[in-house]
Amino acid sequence: MSMFDISERAEKYRAQLLEFMDSHVYPAEAVYDEQMRAAGDPHFQPPILEELKAEAQRRGLWNLFHPYAEWGPGLTNLEYAPLAEIMGRSHLAPEACNCNAPDTGNMEVFTLFGTDEHKEKYLKPLLAGTIRSAFAMTEPAVASSDATNVELSMVRDGDEYVLNGRKWFASNALHPNCTVLIVMGKTDPEAAPHRQQSMMVVPIDAPGVTVLRGLPVFGYQDREGHAEIDFENVRVPRKDVLKGEGEGFAISQARLGPGRIHHCMRAIGMAERALELMCRRASTRITFGKPIAANANIQDWIAEARIDIEMIRLLTLKAAYLMDTVGNKEARTEIAAIKVAAPNIALKIVDRAIQVHGGAGVTDDFPLAMAWAHLRTLRLADGPDEVHKRTLARQELRKYRDVKADN
């Protein structure tokens, strides 16, 4: 018996989710495009998405990510992995099932570190899918791949903190249902490097919070938006500090571990769909008297895609298994490895699928161009490749710390 055998309950969810994708999600993609075009607003919440959410709730395909049975089915990371992969095949499925970033990570933060008031005011509506949230950590003025660089100031003033600074790439902040931000800033510049930061809960409509713009990503204005936000003398009550002053870095690490692997799971789903589209296109388009699929180089691409997908799936499952059995900290090597491997490999497969589609591949007639933009961005989100490689290299070098130099 393999350690990666899918459990009976996960298999049940998997079958239900596959049926939901075929009967509702894939057919909704064209309707979604039509409603977005008609609205003329890149951040419009189309009715079809609310219909999908209602249907997913009705089917019990809701909050599948949440590890606590109180709030969801209580699946392990290993059980959730194949489900996240399936949802990754369509850009509509994660939100339809209330399993979309950054809300998943924020819900876990509220679950672990939020007060009873936070849970009532924000966690419950997030779990119900009636509001959305954003995570404000990255800053335009510093290299945010090193989180200790974050410099938005959080100055204590009696029973409040006063926030001043600028954030960007706060994903979801332009979603019309976004009501709350989790903001990371600096409360004590004199403390040890990893104890200078704190995280606070800030309503998006708090006085002094200004959403300046949505940042385009490869020319796309993603529906949920990637916002640049200005904080000018924003007053935050002391009760809205999460976990305590100086705990910001620790919270960010707790939040980003599961978030990173969720991204990787979805990337595999995206790669699977790209491979399917590549095979369909190559089998039906004729060039120089034969199907494109008859060309040896295209067959190589298809074969390599299958090999690569199986490899990154196994590494993802290993990381998920370790997270479940020995914890996120002990699984950090595998999490770092898959965070580098999954987006890069999925990106290569999508790129080749685009090539097989010819000019159509770079249009919005197929989901490939959007998938390419998303996956290329994912090589930066939740830590760039280079930071994760640094983690991996340090882990490897630690084994040789006591090796003597050769004479």
Side-chain angles (χ1 to χ4, degrees):
M1 177 173 165
S2 164
M3 69 172 74
F4 301 145
D5 281 348
I6 191 164
S7 71
E8 198 175 313
R9 65 174 178 168
E11 183 54 57
K12 189 183 86 173
Y13 279 118
R14 184 176 174 275
Q16 291 173 345
L17 191 55
L18 284 169
E19 199 282 321
F20 177 57
M21 296 290 288
D22 287 339
S23 62
H24 286 80
V25 177
Y26 297 133
E29 288 178 344
V31 181
Y32 170 91
D33 290 342
E34 202 175 287
Q35 290 181 352
M36 291 300 292
R37 272 194 299 270
D41 173 5
H43 308 301
F44 176 66
Q45 182 72 353
I48 187 65
L49 203 39
E50 294 300 327
E51 290 169 29
L52 287 175
K53 285 163 65 176
E55 182 62 24
Q57 275 186 292
R58 191 183 69 76
R59 291 166 174 249
L61 298 171
W62 193 254
N63 293 335
L64 297 171
F65 76 95
H66 211 297
Y68 298 96
E70 181 186 356
W71 306 111
L75 300 173
T76 64
N77 286 293
L78 190 57
E79 289 175 315
Y80 180 59
L83 309 181
E85 178 185 321
I86 292 165
M87 287 184 274
R89 297 180 187 183
S90 172
H91 63 103
L92 301 183
E95 185 169 346
C97 297
N98 215 39
C99 292
N100 54 303
D103 290 312
T104 51
N106 291 345
M107 283 187 253
E108 290 198 39
V109 168
F110 280 127
T111 301
L112 293 171
F113 309 114
T115 63
D116 288 344
E117 184 186 344
H118 293 145
K119 287 174 182 173
E120 199 62 39
K121 192 173 180 181
Y122 299 119
L123 178 58
K124 286 184 179 176
L126 280 168
L127 288 160
T130 55
I131 68 166
R132 301 267 65 108
S133 63
F135 185 61
M137 180 170 143
T138 307
E139 296 181 1
V142 297
S144 302
S145 56
D146 176 358
T148 61
N149 284 338
V150 164
E151 58 184 24
L152 177 137
S153 67
M154 297 173 155
V155 178
R156 182 83 175 270
D157 182 21
D159 279 341
E160 295 180 316
Y161 288 84
V162 181
L163 276 54
N164 281 285
R166 182 74 58 91
K167 295 289 183 182
W168 71 346
F169 286 101
S171 299
N172 236 20
L174 285 134
H175 193 298
N177 299 343
C178 184
T179 63
V180 63
L181 310 170
I182 294 178
V183 183
M184 182 163 165
K186 195 161 279 190
T187 40
D188 185 1
E190 304 306 315
H194 295 93
R195 296 286 304 167
Q196 297 178 4
Q197 307 81 17
S198 298
M199 278 199 195
M200 300 186 188
V201 179
V202 183
I204 200 166
D205 60 357
V209 175
T210 307
V211 177
L212 300 172
R213 60 173 176 151
L215 293 153
V217 176
F218 288 104
Y220 287 98
Q221 277 286 354
D222 289 332
R223 185 176 49 81
E224 72 279 8
H226 307 288
E228 183 171 2
I229 306 176
D230 191 56
F231 295 80
E232 185 178 359
N233 296 324
V234 179
R235 292 195 162 267
V236 178
R238 189 178 171 188
K239 65 183 174 63
D240 287 330
V241 178
L242 288 166
K243 197 180 180 188
E245 195 174 299
E247 297 288 347
F249 191 86
I251 294 172
S252 74
Q253 294 310 297
R255 182 191 184 283
L256 291 172
R260 283 172 181 143
I261 197 167
H262 292 173
H263 276 311
C264 296
M265 294 164 180
R266 288 189 291 265
I268 295 166
M270 216 177 271
E272 281 283 12
R273 189 162 185 199
L275 175 56
E276 179 188 330
L277 289 168
M278 176 160 48
C279 289
R280 288 181 184 279
R281 187 78 169 186
S283 299
T284 56
R285 303 293 274 202
I286 308 298
T287 59
F288 308 107
K290 61 182 180 182
I292 293 172
N295 293 299
N297 68 314
I298 303 300
Q299 292 183 9
D300 280 353
W301 287 0
I302 291 166
E304 288 166 14
R306 174 49 60 210
I307 293 165
D308 285 345
I309 287 171
E310 297 303 326
M311 288 195 297
I312 57 174
R313 181 180 288 122
L314 279 171
L315 182 52
T316 303
L317 292 173
K318 182 189 177 188
Y321 170 77
L322 289 173
M323 289 167 76
D324 291 335
T325 53
V326 294
N328 297 358
K329 191 174 180 182
E330 293 302 316
R332 65 187 179 278
T333 298
E334 285 75 15
I335 293 172
I338 194 56
K339 179 57 177 64
V340 175
N344 274 282
I345 285 172
L347 191 65
K348 179 176 78 173
I349 295 168
V350 168
D351 187 76
R352 287 174 167 179
I354 289 171
Q355 197 70 10
V356 168
H357 281 71
V362 298
T363 71
D364 287 340
D365 286 7
F366 293 90
L368 296 167
M370 186 191 292
W372 191 96
H374 174 78
L375 288 163
R376 183 60 188 85
T377 308
L378 193 52
R379 290 187 53 205
L380 296 163
D382 285 358
D385 290 357
E386 291 71 23
V387 169
H388 297 299
K389 287 178 182 178
R390 181 174 178 263
T391 299
L392 288 162
R394 285 181 157 190
Q395 288 292 106
E396 288 299 311
L397 288 167
R398 195 165 287 142
K399 302 170 190 173
Y400 306 97
R401 192 179 282 161
D402 299 325
V403 173
K404 300 282 188 286
D406 294 332
N407 290 328

